[in-house]
Amino acid sequence: MNPIQKLLLYVLALTILGCGAYKAKKQEALLNLPLMGTLVKTTGDMSYNAAEQIGIPKWTSLKVEVKELPFNIESYTTYARHMHRAAKINSIPYNDSLRYKPKYIRLQVQNKIDIAHMLNDDAHGEMRDYLSLDPDHRLVTSVDLALTELEIQEFLAINGAALKKDKLNNIVLVLYMDDVERTYQLKDLPIFDYGLSAFCWGEDQYHRLRIENIVDEDLKCPRNTYLKASKIKSDKAYLKF
């Protein structure tokens, strides 16, 4: 084998190994869904999108809204794909032509403004600076659960719900009933999808960066706030010029 053939063989081997590592990383990212109340960086390319958890703000409790939603083609496809990737049994039948559609539960953070105020306090200064560096940073504000009909009825028969943290800083879901509190490890619930919200940046009176709003990632930031914190500096430089 001449030197050129050896070089080509070496390049081919590296390419195969690189493709294998990429596929493994992609599979891991698609399986490990982020938890509600955490900060993530969206990653991926044209072939897939995922969210890598980067931190948890120093909140102690977040009020949660519990919704029952019917599966449609889009949500059911997401559920079915997740079950297939996780090599789990799909126990929820679905047919778009049927009048009755199976349901799922969505847990959603109730008040994003409170989270914005919290992230703007001094205790979150370093985290806020880090978030401002990349417009792909997001907050997980909802998760979808594939529950049985009996479990869905139990989730709907509550007086309230909240996210809290246990002694090991694990995120737990607390359901408040008449005389009982039920606590679930959030990571152990059958999550098949999640929703993200983006940060809208502005300045305080001392020209320090602050989070003015948190909006669903498919929405635009309000006037005079920006998804890219760097946009504030560039606008100021332009006005000064």
Side-chain angles (χ1 to χ4, degrees):
M1 185 180 293
N2 61 48
I4 295 179
Q5 289 176 321
K6 289 182 179 180
L7 178 60
L8 290 175
L9 185 61
Y10 178 71
V11 171
L12 178 61
L14 287 179
T15 302
I16 293 173
L17 289 173
C19 289
Y22 171 80
K23 289 180 179 178
K25 182 178 180 181
K26 172 182 174 180
Q27 180 71 6
E28 182 181 1
L30 292 172
L31 281 177
N32 296 328
L33 303 184
L35 299 180
M36 184 165 58
T38 66
L39 297 166
V40 300
K41 174 178 169 56
T42 54
T43 60
D45 51 29
M46 294 298 291
S47 64
Y48 81 102
N49 289 297
E52 177 187 356
Q53 187 169 304
I54 59 173
I56 306 175
K58 299 175 183 179
W59 50 262
T60 55
S61 180
L62 296 176
K63 289 184 178 181
V64 172
E65 181 181 7
V66 178
K67 292 182 178 180
E68 180 189 39
L69 297 172
F71 275 105
N72 55 26
I73 294 177
E74 181 181 2
S75 58
Y76 187 77
T77 299
T78 300
Y79 161 74
R81 284 176 178 170
H82 177 72
M83 298 301 285
H84 177 72
R85 290 172 184 143
K88 295 181 179 179
I89 297 174
N90 182 343
S91 59
I92 301 178
Y94 179 84
N95 189 325
D96 192 51
S97 63
L98 294 178
R99 183 175 181 180
Y100 172 79
K101 301 292 191 302
K103 307 289 199 309
Y104 65 95
I105 287 293
R106 173 166 294 171
L107 306 177
Q108 188 166 335
V109 173
Q110 277 193 354
N111 197 333
K112 297 176 186 176
I113 296 298
D114 287 347
I115 300 178
H117 289 326
M118 176 189 62
L119 290 173
N120 284 324
D121 64 28
D122 292 340
H124 288 89
E126 290 185 6
M127 179 175 285
R128 187 171 60 254
D129 290 342
Y130 180 72
L131 292 175
S132 71
L133 297 176
D134 194 333
D136 289 331
H137 288 148
R138 296 286 188 273
L139 175 70
V140 184
T141 47
S142 70
V143 291
D144 294 339
L145 309 179
L147 303 174
T148 66
E149 290 189 21
L150 180 59
E151 290 169 334
I152 288 176
Q153 294 310 310
E154 291 177 350
F155 268 63
L156 295 177
I158 62 174
N159 299 323
L163 289 184
K164 294 191 175 183
K165 297 173 184 174
D166 64 16
K167 295 179 180 179
L168 299 177
N169 208 37
N170 295 313
I171 300 175
V172 298
L173 174 69
V174 182
L175 301 182
Y176 300 101
M177 301 181 179
D178 291 336
D179 300 314
V180 181
E181 291 184 9
R182 291 190 179 177
T183 302
Y184 302 86
Q185 287 283 340
L186 190 59
K187 63 183 179 181
D188 294 336
L189 290 173
I191 300 171
F192 69 90
D193 200 11
Y194 56 91
L196 303 176
S197 292
F199 302 103
C200 297
W201 295 92
E203 287 184 319
D204 64 15
Q205 59 182 331
Y206 302 106
H207 302 292
R208 296 176 298 195
L209 283 175
R210 60 179 282 113
I211 298 170
E212 296 291 346
N213 213 326
I214 299 175
V215 299
D216 292 347
E217 65 172 354
D218 58 342
L219 299 179
K220 293 182 178 181
C221 285
R223 186 177 181 181
N224 296 326
T225 64
Y226 307 91
L227 179 62
K228 294 183 178 181
S230 58
K231 178 72 173 175
I232 298 171
K233 295 180 180 179
S234 63
D235 275 9
K236 286 172 62 178
Y238 173 80
L239 291 173
K240 185 177 180 180
F241 174 77

